[in-house]
Amino acid sequence: MPKRSNVRFVCVECGQDYSRWMGYCPSCSSQTPLVEREMPPEDAAGGRWRGFAGAAGAGAPVSWNEVDTRTAPRRPLGIAELDRVLGGGVVPGSAVLVAGEPGAGKSTLLLQLAAAAAASGAPVLYVSGEESEHQLKLRGERLGLEPDSLLLFAETSMPRILDAAQSAEPGLLVLDSVQCVHSPEISGAPGTVTQVRESAASLVLFAKSTRVPVFIIGHVNKDGAIAGPRTLEHMVDTVLHFEGDRRQSHRLLRAVKNRFGAAGELGVFDMTGQGLVPVRNPSELFLTGGPPQPGAAVVCTLEGTRPLLAEIQVLLAESPLAYPRRVPVGFDSGRLAVLLAVLETGGGGGLLRSDVYVSVTGGLTVNEPAADLGLLAAVVSRRRGVPVPPGTVFIGEVGLSGEVRPVHQAGVRLREAARLGYRRAVVNPGKAGAADWPADIDLVAAESLDQALAVVGQA
């Protein structure tokens, strides 16, 4: 029996394929065995890829000076928080992947986006592989949307979707979702590694060749990562990820990757009966606003270019275990262990027999070292049983020897704190001049942990 030359063995985790079966994938060390897949014959010659390249007009290299970027300005989408996360609007020909858990609001946001983009008069094509046109319109009416130029298309065949997009010539294309579509010439059910990779590649090449922005909704697996091959995130220009607890009303949209803007930019939405509404002042969302309590401290973190104030709460309890628990919510567990060790070494802890529970209010995840000082201030406040003085914000990174290090863009953080009514900031000013600080905020210069924590308990 002749050997089939178009058979490949694919890793279902990372999408890497091999010419022979190797058991488990050596690239990602996955514990899932390789799966046999039969590839289309034209893949070996690259004919299908050359067809798209020809449509893009990439027949010869182009000089750097001949490329005119002024013909492709950013296009505002009409949703302020989404425009902010994208860096000011969508770039023509870009491919944006929006991922998140079920019920986070991905379809709702992109239906609102499609309706807002269609309000300008240009046709917008919304393709759904999960809902019919009737269901989409029912949801749009519930959200109060009445777009005249919005085209709905319920289809799962990738060739039919591309044909419809070529015929409609939309100004924007939305696909919900990439795990539901398939290409008939590729073996495998929708959602498999090969189908997801080839479908996403076709959409990306369509966007590059027609200059039409494409928004793609992607599912996540049980671990919270984007389902499908890892190459899916590499192919697109921007990856947006929904965060936040579905039991709460607000949603966080974070730019995990952005070729045309700052990665890490954060947009905040409030889920209402009228859909996702942008939150104009997110810092107030993450602050409790009540009287000061022991074990709570306010920090200022920088998400992309946006300063956000958040409250860190700490609870201490006597542990019956030989190894006390360290349970953070919204904070890195490894970083928490290091900071508690620094506090113990400096003699201000006494936590060797205590369970430590840390929570960042509002469902926000803080990954920035500038929150170190606020976390330790909350721990000491709970330990002493006295609240942090009201109107105080802590900004600083704590080193292993107990020093407080300056943070970047401290002036931006302090101006945000002053705008929200905070009148005292514990920070290491570093080499920055006094002109960078707001005049209506009192600075407590702290170069060591002892100097900073002396503020806890003061009136």
PDB file of all heavy atoms in Angstrom, residues 103-105 108 248-251 269-277:
ATOM      1  N   GLY A 103     -20.525  33.842  28.430  1.00  0.00           N
ATOM      2  CA  GLY A 103     -21.317  34.794  29.191  1.00  0.00           C
ATOM      3  C   GLY A 103     -20.603  36.055  29.574  1.00  0.00           C
ATOM      4  O   GLY A 103     -21.174  36.916  30.255  1.00  0.00           O
ATOM      5  N   ALA A 104     -19.337  36.225  29.165  1.00  0.00           N
ATOM      6  CA  ALA A 104     -18.595  37.432  29.529  1.00  0.00           C
ATOM      7  C   ALA A 104     -19.096  38.655  28.789  1.00  0.00           C
ATOM      8  O   ALA A 104     -18.957  39.785  29.275  1.00  0.00           O
ATOM      9  CB  ALA A 104     -17.105  37.229  29.259  1.00  0.00           C
ATOM     10  N   GLY A 105     -19.675  38.470  27.594  1.00  0.00           N
ATOM     11  CA  GLY A 105     -20.190  39.598  26.835  1.00  0.00           C
ATOM     12  C   GLY A 105     -19.514  39.809  25.501  1.00  0.00           C
ATOM     13  O   GLY A 105     -19.624  40.888  24.921  1.00  0.00           O
ATOM     14  N   THR A 108     -22.182  40.216  22.733  1.00  0.00           N
ATOM     15  CA  THR A 108     -22.921  41.464  22.986  1.00  0.00           C
ATOM     16  C   THR A 108     -22.098  42.668  22.577  1.00  0.00           C
ATOM     17  O   THR A 108     -22.596  43.589  21.916  1.00  0.00           O
ATOM     18  CB  THR A 108     -23.297  41.545  24.470  1.00  0.00           C
ATOM     19  OG1 THR A 108     -24.138  40.441  24.806  1.00  0.00           O
ATOM     20  CG2 THR A 108     -24.030  42.837  24.765  1.00  0.00           C
ATOM     21  N   GLN A 248     -20.564  39.645  38.789  1.00  0.00           N
ATOM     22  CA  GLN A 248     -20.537  41.079  38.987  1.00  0.00           C
ATOM     23  C   GLN A 248     -20.947  41.777  37.702  1.00  0.00           C
ATOM     24  O   GLN A 248     -20.896  41.209  36.614  1.00  0.00           O
ATOM     25  CB  GLN A 248     -19.142  41.539  39.427  1.00  0.00           C
ATOM     26  CG  GLN A 248     -18.699  40.942  40.765  1.00  0.00           C
ATOM     27  CD  GLN A 248     -17.324  41.397  41.171  1.00  0.00           C
ATOM     28  OE1 GLN A 248     -16.626  42.076  40.416  1.00  0.00           O
ATOM     29  NE2 GLN A 248     -16.900  41.032  42.378  1.00  0.00           N
ATOM     30  N   SER A 249     -21.333  43.018  37.825  1.00  0.00           N
ATOM     31  CA  SER A 249     -21.893  43.725  36.669  1.00  0.00           C
ATOM     32  C   SER A 249     -20.827  44.247  35.723  1.00  0.00           C
ATOM     33  O   SER A 249     -21.103  44.460  34.537  1.00  0.00           O
ATOM     34  CB  SER A 249     -22.769  44.896  37.139  1.00  0.00           C
ATOM     35  OG  SER A 249     -21.995  45.836  37.881  1.00  0.00           O
ATOM     36  N   HIS A 250     -19.620  44.492  36.203  1.00  0.00           N
ATOM     37  CA  HIS A 250     -18.618  45.100  35.342  1.00  0.00           C
ATOM     38  C   HIS A 250     -17.784  44.036  34.631  1.00  0.00           C
ATOM     39  O   HIS A 250     -17.640  42.917  35.091  1.00  0.00           O
ATOM     40  CB  HIS A 250     -17.709  46.038  36.141  1.00  0.00           C
ATOM     41  CG  HIS A 250     -16.900  45.351  37.199  1.00  0.00           C
ATOM     42  ND1 HIS A 250     -17.351  45.128  38.475  1.00  0.00           N
ATOM     43  CD2 HIS A 250     -15.650  44.830  37.164  1.00  0.00           C
ATOM     44  CE1 HIS A 250     -16.437  44.505  39.176  1.00  0.00           C
ATOM     45  NE2 HIS A 250     -15.383  44.303  38.405  1.00  0.00           N
ATOM     46  N   ARG A 251     -17.247  44.414  33.486  1.00  0.00           N
ATOM     47  CA  ARG A 251     -16.383  43.567  32.675  1.00  0.00           C
ATOM     48  C   ARG A 251     -15.114  44.343  32.338  1.00  0.00           C
ATOM     49  O   ARG A 251     -15.156  45.557  32.093  1.00  0.00           O
ATOM     50  CB  ARG A 251     -17.078  43.146  31.376  1.00  0.00           C
ATOM     51  CG  ARG A 251     -18.376  42.384  31.570  1.00  0.00           C
ATOM     52  CD  ARG A 251     -18.127  40.976  32.112  1.00  0.00           C
ATOM     53  NE  ARG A 251     -19.342  40.190  32.100  1.00  0.00           N
ATOM     54  CZ  ARG A 251     -20.207  40.136  33.099  1.00  0.00           C
ATOM     55  NH1 ARG A 251     -19.996  40.865  34.193  1.00  0.00           N
ATOM     56  NH2 ARG A 251     -21.289  39.391  33.023  1.00  0.00           N
ATOM     57  N   PHE A 269     -16.194  48.059  31.336  1.00  0.00           N
ATOM     58  CA  PHE A 269     -17.585  48.143  30.907  1.00  0.00           C
ATOM     59  C   PHE A 269     -18.488  47.706  32.051  1.00  0.00           C
ATOM     60  O   PHE A 269     -18.087  46.931  32.929  1.00  0.00           O
ATOM     61  CB  PHE A 269     -17.847  47.250  29.690  1.00  0.00           C
ATOM     62  CG  PHE A 269     -17.086  47.642  28.460  1.00  0.00           C
ATOM     63  CD1 PHE A 269     -15.806  47.156  28.238  1.00  0.00           C
ATOM     64  CD2 PHE A 269     -17.647  48.481  27.506  1.00  0.00           C
ATOM     65  CE1 PHE A 269     -15.101  47.500  27.099  1.00  0.00           C
ATOM     66  CE2 PHE A 269     -16.952  48.832  26.369  1.00  0.00           C
ATOM     67  CZ  PHE A 269     -15.675  48.346  26.163  1.00  0.00           C
ATOM     68  N   ASP A 270     -19.725  48.191  31.997  1.00  0.00           N
ATOM     69  CA  ASP A 270     -20.747  47.787  32.946  1.00  0.00           C
ATOM     70  C   ASP A 270     -21.838  47.054  32.176  1.00  0.00           C
ATOM     71  O   ASP A 270     -22.381  47.596  31.206  1.00  0.00           O
ATOM     72  CB  ASP A 270     -21.317  49.015  33.665  1.00  0.00           C
ATOM     73  CG  ASP A 270     -22.196  48.633  34.839  1.00  0.00           C
ATOM     74  OD1 ASP A 270     -22.076  47.488  35.306  1.00  0.00           O
ATOM     75  OD2 ASP A 270     -23.017  49.473  35.279  1.00  0.00           O
ATOM     76  N   MET A 271     -22.131  45.819  32.583  1.00  0.00           N
ATOM     77  CA  MET A 271     -23.156  45.025  31.915  1.00  0.00           C
ATOM     78  C   MET A 271     -24.533  45.437  32.430  1.00  0.00           C
ATOM     79  O   MET A 271     -24.840  45.277  33.609  1.00  0.00           O
ATOM     80  CB  MET A 271     -22.913  43.534  32.159  1.00  0.00           C
ATOM     81  CG  MET A 271     -23.970  42.627  31.534  1.00  0.00           C
ATOM     82  SD  MET A 271     -24.002  42.705  29.730  1.00  0.00           S
ATOM     83  CE  MET A 271     -22.597  41.649  29.345  1.00  0.00           C
ATOM     84  N   THR A 272     -25.355  45.974  31.528  1.00  0.00           N
ATOM     85  CA  THR A 272     -26.697  46.434  31.874  1.00  0.00           C
ATOM     86  C   THR A 272     -27.703  45.767  30.949  1.00  0.00           C
ATOM     87  O   THR A 272     -27.347  44.973  30.076  1.00  0.00           O
ATOM     88  CB  THR A 272     -26.794  47.963  31.752  1.00  0.00           C
ATOM     89  OG1 THR A 272     -26.639  48.338  30.361  1.00  0.00           O
ATOM     90  CG2 THR A 272     -25.709  48.649  32.574  1.00  0.00           C
ATOM     91  N   GLY A 273     -28.972  46.111  31.136  1.00  0.00           N
ATOM     92  CA  GLY A 273     -30.009  45.602  30.257  1.00  0.00           C
ATOM     93  C   GLY A 273     -29.897  46.118  28.848  1.00  0.00           C
ATOM     94  O   GLY A 273     -30.479  45.539  27.917  1.00  0.00           O
ATOM     95  N   GLN A 274     -29.150  47.196  28.651  1.00  0.00           N
ATOM     96  CA  GLN A 274     -28.923  47.764  27.332  1.00  0.00           C
ATOM     97  C   GLN A 274     -27.565  47.377  26.766  1.00  0.00           C
ATOM     98  O   GLN A 274     -27.078  48.025  25.837  1.00  0.00           O
ATOM     99  CB  GLN A 274     -29.034  49.302  27.392  1.00  0.00           C
ATOM    100  CG  GLN A 274     -30.383  49.799  27.873  1.00  0.00           C
ATOM    101  CD  GLN A 274     -31.511  49.380  26.954  1.00  0.00           C
ATOM    102  OE1 GLN A 274     -31.386  49.436  25.723  1.00  0.00           O
ATOM    103  NE2 GLN A 274     -32.626  48.946  27.534  1.00  0.00           N
ATOM    104  N   GLY A 275     -26.972  46.330  27.310  1.00  0.00           N
ATOM    105  CA  GLY A 275     -25.682  45.872  26.800  1.00  0.00           C
ATOM    106  C   GLY A 275     -24.535  46.377  27.652  1.00  0.00           C
ATOM    107  O   GLY A 275     -24.694  46.753  28.820  1.00  0.00           O
ATOM    108  N   LEU A 276     -23.364  46.400  27.064  1.00  0.00           N
ATOM    109  CA  LEU A 276     -22.145  46.837  27.748  1.00  0.00           C
ATOM    110  C   LEU A 276     -22.004  48.349  27.615  1.00  0.00           C
ATOM    111  O   LEU A 276     -21.928  48.881  26.508  1.00  0.00           O
ATOM    112  CB  LEU A 276     -20.923  46.129  27.160  1.00  0.00           C
ATOM    113  CG  LEU A 276     -20.812  44.637  27.501  1.00  0.00           C
ATOM    114  CD1 LEU A 276     -19.782  43.966  26.612  1.00  0.00           C
ATOM    115  CD2 LEU A 276     -20.465  44.444  28.959  1.00  0.00           C
ATOM    116  N   VAL A 277     -21.951  49.021  28.758  1.00  0.00           N
ATOM    117  CA  VAL A 277     -21.851  50.479  28.789  1.00  0.00           C
ATOM    118  C   VAL A 277     -20.456  50.848  29.293  1.00  0.00           C
ATOM    119  O   VAL A 277     -20.035  50.353  30.349  1.00  0.00           O
ATOM    120  CB  VAL A 277     -22.923  51.084  29.708  1.00  0.00           C
ATOM    121  CG1 VAL A 277     -22.795  52.604  29.752  1.00  0.00           C
ATOM    122  CG2 VAL A 277     -24.313  50.688  29.224  1.00  0.00           C
TER     123      VAL A 277
END
